Amino acid sequence: MADQPLVRLTIEGVPVSVPQGTLVIEAAKQAGVMIPHYCYHSGLPVAGVCRMCLVEIETTPKLQIACATQAAEGMVVNVLSAQAREARQGVLEFLLINHPLDCPICDQAGECELQDYVFQEGRSRTRYTPTYAKRFNPVEDFGGDVLYVPNRCILCTRCVRFMEHVAEEPILNVSERGDRAYIGIHPDRHLDHPWAGNVVDLCPVGSLLSKDFLHKARAWELDKTPGVCTGCSQGCNVNLDTRTDVVVRVRPRANLDVNQYFMCDHGRMQYRWMNRGDRIEAPLVAHGHELAAVSWDHAFARAAEIVRGTAGRAAVLASPRASTEALFLAKRVLGRFDLTAAFRVQRVSEEAPLIGVPNLALRSERAPNVTGATLLGYTEQFEVAVKALSGSAVVLVLDDPLEGVSADLLRAAGQVIYLGTVLPDAARAAHVVLPIANVAEEDGTFVNRDQRVQRYFQAKVGPGMARPAWWVLGELLAELKLGGPFGSAAEAFAWMAAEEPRFGGLSYQLLGTRGMVLPAGRPAGVGA
Amino acid sequence: MAITVKTVRRPEGEVSYLRATLKGMVVTLSHVFRPKVTMEYPEQKSTDDWTLSPRWRGTHRMLTDEQGRAKCVACGLCPQICPANCIKLVPGEDEEGHRYPLIYEIDEFRCIFCGYCQEVCPEEAIHVGVHYENAEYERSRFVYDLERLCAQTHPVSTLWDPSDPQGE
Ligand code: SF4
Ligand code: SF4
Ligand code: SF4
Ligand code: SF4
Ligand code: FES
């Protein structure tokens, strides 16, 4: 874009310069003016069907649609002039003729663009008689997670264009015409494309709904926290929507370098485990054959005693769902041992790409931090590490679910320190159990498959005494006089950046909410 | 110095209590023949020229539809507007898949009877009532659940003048 010539224009009295070919609606964003729109979406091809974006362009006799008009030198655009407002008011009036106005039972209420624009510039009263019989069509199940409420549809065709041009599986269309038009689905097909859930986010009104979220919460009750999807190594940017400390929905967060505006359905449904109730709520220390709850100080003292009092071989069994910080610190705790650090990851045979977006797919390795673990020297030889357990003096488990690892195998090792969110049966063989927060309850970073380091933020509070793994490991390091403690995830990351050359020069501030790719020239490590 | 006592003689009219007593009885007797202004609560609750205002805001009542089900669709507006934060609502679905409150409770102790819930309700479901007799034997009984709110029979408040709906 940089080498393209700039054009200068004035929008609502604000002068802006934009590269040639920019649409007026995009140029207006630069001028700080939001032109009302329905069918336009930056991630979809332009359709120009809703006429909501009508604006007045001086020297052009008729009103123009801002989403399909390119900015030109010297253009003067009036968005709020009486003529433009009147035209848009007319568009809104047409949209409302057959709209059921059932906001009280509509899941979109509170984040609905029809509500917003009618409130902003619509007529306050209808000109239809109260007895006018509105068009009615029954609710239709589109399959997958999607429900279609035709009465609310404003026929913007965003859903149709997504399926046709982005997913490239054109199974939606506009059926019938005129005021009878509705969105039709191929009679033999369901919306079961692995990325079909995006049509629910794209729909500007409550016409396409998620069955999973149906009637669950009102938009204004939700707190949104930026996060990173844990579904696979693509690392789509998401928002976690929480209501009173329960994650109720995951939606994509725009990041043009990773997932644009989309996320897959697999990732979208990956949130229930964040609300698990069977969590470890206090540090536990083995007394004989029983685990007893103790204070953090006591647990750290006991864990430090274990690490200090042993020597020889040690193992870290880590989860590729742990934050980069935790993975780094876990190895540091056992720094002076002969260390085997391993993780395991579920791999499926096929990727599910979103064809219309380059380099975006539901990846086959189904964990968010495989690359982070590999960069930090963890190997995927989990089985080898498990076999070697019996000769290890210390084993540190970092949130691995221990499936297939029996308590007896763990008992064969010298001493076991278990950091986890839940307590699988095998973990009862541990000598010290330290409760940690899950991904929704802590700040941290993941490294995606393209070596992009991305931050995620704390969305809810952890249960009981559970603390972020970086804090727990930082305190343990401090107890061992090896570094730490850390007051924040940012401090833990800063220490890692100082110690680990691959992360050199990075900081939480630099990463921001979009993340940064690790400096080039360093070998990638994805795949075994 | 010797103490001297001065004796004052009051006029007869001032020292006699009889006059004042009689005067008082005249006032009392004169009231017997004046019109009565008290009401014999609780036997009598309103009179011809005094009754509770139709805009009185008292304990709530949930209106029901023809089948006796609460009109509420669990839209979440009343818990949002309530300045006392005393409405608890958990939305869900009924047997026919309609949006319906699974839990709807109002803590009448915390309520400040502002009437906002009635004003905001798009379904004309929840109302403040023209009602004030709320005595209970237990504090917990002041949290009204959906069943109890629907079972109330008292008239509901008219928050605005029906002949002037735009007026304040
Ligand atoms: S269902 Fe939604 S996205 Fe699709 S055309 Fe209707 S309003 Fe637009
Ligand atoms: S592609 Fe992966 S990261 Fe993206 S939404 Fe799906 S599971 Fe999540
Ligand atoms: S009357 Fe006011 S305080 Fe009471 S429940 Fe309604 S909104 Fe809340
Ligand atoms: S405002 Fe009315 S419909 Fe909405 S939740 Fe309250 S009582 Fe129910
Ligand atoms: S947004 Fe321009 S016509 Fe729809």
Side-chain angles (χ1 to χ4, degrees):
Chain A
M1 277 272 168
D3 46 356
Q4 284 209 2
L6 294 181
V7 293
R8 278 164 300 164
L9 68 166
T10 311
I11 299 173
E12 272 303 301
V14 183
V16 282
S17 320
V18 293
Q20 204 162 35
T22 307
L23 298 170
V24 171
I25 197 166
E26 288 293 339
K29 284 183 195 163
Q30 259 188 51
V33 182
M34 174 62 129
I35 300 179
H37 59 277
Y38 290 125
C39 67
Y40 178 77
H41 188 282
S42 1
L44 299 174
V46 172
V49 292
C50 73
R51 319 311 279 184
M52 191 59 212
C53 61
L54 285 169
V55 292
E56 189 182 321
I57 296 177
E58 283 176 22
T59 70
T60 314
K62 287 211 291 191
L63 297 180
Q64 299 291 318
I65 50 172
C67 71
T69 309
Q70 291 187 356
E73 184 66 35
M75 217 178 220
V76 180
V77 183
N78 295 322
V79 181
L80 299 175
S81 72
Q83 207 193 353
R85 290 184 77 123
E86 200 194 325
R88 292 199 299 265
Q89 199 174 59
V91 172
L92 286 168
E93 191 177 13
F94 278 133
L95 289 178
L96 289 185
I97 291 176
N98 281 310
H99 196 86
L101 295 178
D102 53 0
C103 309
I105 54 166
C106 176
D107 271 344
Q108 189 87 359
E111 50 187 14
C112 171
E113 287 168 40
L114 189 59
Q115 270 186 338
D116 291 351
Y117 295 144
V118 170
F119 186 74
Q120 202 174 300
E121 37 189 40
R123 302 179 66 88
S124 56
R125 245 146 237 284
T126 174
R127 288 193 283 184
Y128 279 72
T129 56
T131 53
Y132 169 74
K134 295 190 175 190
R135 178 196 59 203
F136 178 83
N137 287 311
V139 175
E140 203 178 325
D141 187 349
F142 270 2
D145 182 42
V146 185
L147 216 56
Y148 176 52
V149 186
N151 300 331
R152 297 181 190 147
C153 179
I154 59 168
L155 291 165
C156 69
T157 72
R158 278 190 197 179
C159 52
V160 177
R161 278 174 288 145
F162 175 81
M163 289 312 290
E164 186 167 337
H165 300 285
V166 185
E168 301 200 1
E169 192 178 273
I171 59 171
L172 296 182
N173 74 349
V174 181
S175 302
E176 289 273 8
R177 353 184 245 177
D179 74 338
R180 296 184 309 280
Y182 63 93
I183 298 302
I185 184 164
H186 188 294
D188 306 326
R189 298 294 301 276
H190 292 296
L191 262 189
D192 49 10
H193 186 279
W195 293 77
N198 288 297
V199 296
V200 176
D201 307 331
L202 289 170
C203 184
V205 296
S207 190
L208 294 173
L209 300 174
S210 156
K211 291 183 210 165
D212 180 65
F213 185 66
L214 197 65
H215 301 331
K216 237 203 248 170
R218 308 302 284 168
W220 55 84
E221 298 164 344
L222 301 176
D223 295 315
K224 296 179 190 298
T225 314
V228 173
C229 177
T230 57
C232 79
S233 58
Q234 175 75 39
C236 293
N237 290 206
V238 298
N239 272 323
L240 296 187
D241 288 2
T242 49
R243 178 191 175 184
T244 52
D245 271 347
V246 178
V247 182
V248 293
R249 173 170 78 172
V250 182
R251 290 188 131 192
R253 175 165 61 92
N255 187 339
L256 293 185
D257 298 320
V258 183
N259 55 319
Q260 292 207 354
Y261 308 91
F262 311 115
M263 75 182 293
C264 77
D265 290 9
H266 169 76
R268 206 180 279 272
M269 296 302 153
Q270 284 278 321
Y271 68 88
R272 278 174 213 274
W273 60 271
M274 296 176 195
N275 302 327
R276 271 180 86 153
D278 56 342
R279 298 279 300 274
I280 318 173
E281 299 200 1
L284 309 170
V285 165
H287 278 286
H289 284 298
E290 288 294 308
L291 288 169
V294 294
S295 69
W296 271 115
D297 286 345
H298 186 129
F300 286 136
R302 181 79 188 89
E305 204 179 293
I306 290 175
V307 177
R308 250 191 250 112
T310 43
R313 286 187 20 214
V316 183
L317 301 183
S319 156
R321 294 170 171 268
S323 66
T324 320
E325 292 82 350
L327 289 167
F328 169 73
L329 297 175
K331 278 186 77 181
R332 277 302 167 112
V333 167
L334 301 179
R336 69 186 173 77
F337 290 78
D338 170 16
L339 195 62
T340 320
F343 68 91
R344 57 176 159 182
V345 58
Q346 184 205 354
R347 285 178 191 274
V348 297
S349 51
E350 263 183 51
E351 300 197 336
L354 184 63
I355 297 175
V357 180
N359 193 23
L360 179 62
L362 165 59
R363 303 295 177 181
S364 53
E365 58 278 358
R366 296 288 168 85
N369 211 4
V370 175
T371 311
T374 314
L375 286 174
L376 289 168
Y378 288 77
T379 66
E380 220 184 310
Q381 281 150 356
F382 194 80
E383 297 309 322
V384 178
V386 169
K387 284 212 188 79
L389 279 185
S390 56
S392 301
V394 188
V395 179
L396 191 141
V397 183
L398 179 57
D399 210 21
D400 184 88
L402 293 180
E403 276 158 28
V405 182
S406 67
D408 292 338
L409 256 177
L410 279 182
R411 281 203 193 92
Q415 303 272 342
V416 180
I417 303 174
Y418 177 82
L419 268 80
T421 53
V422 292
L423 196 65
D425 277 340
R428 294 188 187 274
H431 298 87
V432 181
V433 174
L434 304 173
I436 57 171
N438 70 24
V439 62
E441 296 156 358
E442 63 170 17
D443 289 349
T445 55
F446 291 142
V447 187
N448 86 345
R449 66 193 305 280
D450 301 317
Q451 306 214 352
R452 174 177 285 268
V453 189
Q454 305 193 99
R455 285 174 67 187
Y456 58 86
F457 296 72
Q458 179 179 5
K460 65 190 193 91
V461 294
M465 291 162 80
R467 292 288 179 274
W470 57 259
W471 181 86
V472 174
L473 292 164
E475 296 288 321
L476 187 52
L477 281 167
E479 189 82 27
L480 291 164
K481 311 232 168 3
L482 294 173
F486 307 110
S488 66
E491 278 177 30
F493 187 88
W495 196 53
M496 177 173 76
E499 300 276 308
E500 193 68 48
R502 283 161 198 266
F503 291 89
L506 293 184
S507 70
Y508 265 26
Q509 207 179 354
L510 279 175
L511 294 178
T513 52
R514 306 257 143 136
M516 274 176 85
V517 180
L518 285 177
R522 288 164 184 156
V526 187
Chain B
M1 204 165 93
I3 296 170
T4 55
V5 177
K6 191 178 176 189
T7 310
V8 182
R9 276 192 69 85
R10 291 234 168 82
E12 286 294 310
E14 272 182 35
V15 286
S16 163
Y17 293 101
L18 202 59
R19 262 174 84 108
T21 310
L22 285 174
K23 247 183 176 171
M25 286 176 80
V26 169
V27 173
T28 308
L29 277 171
S30 74
H31 274 276
V32 171
F33 303 102
R34 289 211 205 145
K36 218 165 62 174
V37 292
T38 51
M39 266 165 55
E40 291 177 10
Y41 182 84
E43 286 81 21
Q44 196 184 14
K45 289 180 183 166
S46 58
T47 60
D48 290 343
D49 42 33
W50 190 89
T51 177
L52 209 52
S53 163
R55 297 171 68 165
W56 175 269
R57 304 188 301 269
T59 44
H60 299 77
R61 174 175 171 196
M62 172 72 76
L63 294 193
T64 51
D65 61 12
E66 305 84 54
Q67 292 115 48
R69 302 157 42 84
K71 279 184 170 180
C72 172
V73 297
C75 74
L77 289 181
C78 55
Q80 182 66 23
I81 195 98
C82 178
N85 204 2
C86 65
I87 306 182
K88 178 178 175 189
L89 170 74
V90 176
E93 281 179 15
D94 66 7
E95 311 80 51
E96 291 140 50
H98 295 134
R99 202 186 164 96
Y100 190 74
L102 291 182
I103 298 178
Y104 188 97
E105 283 175 2
I106 300 188
D107 185 339
E108 301 288 350
F109 265 160
R110 279 218 241 156
C111 174
I112 58 166
F113 300 103
C114 60
Y116 282 3
C117 48
Q118 171 173 349
E119 215 166 319
V120 81
C121 180
E123 302 294 320
E124 302 190 348
I126 193 67
H127 285 79
V128 279
V130 185
H131 186 65
Y132 51 87
E133 292 166 316
N134 303 313
E136 295 285 356
Y137 287 106
E138 286 161 37
R139 293 182 68 90
S140 59
R141 293 267 302 153
F142 281 92
V143 178
Y144 288 17
D145 61 8
L146 188 60
E147 202 183 329
R148 176 132 176 239
L149 287 165
C150 290
Q152 304 292 321
T153 51
H154 55 251
V156 298
S157 176
T158 313
L159 286 187
W160 49 82
D161 184 355
S163 61
D164 175 25
Q166 291 284 291
E168 283 302 308

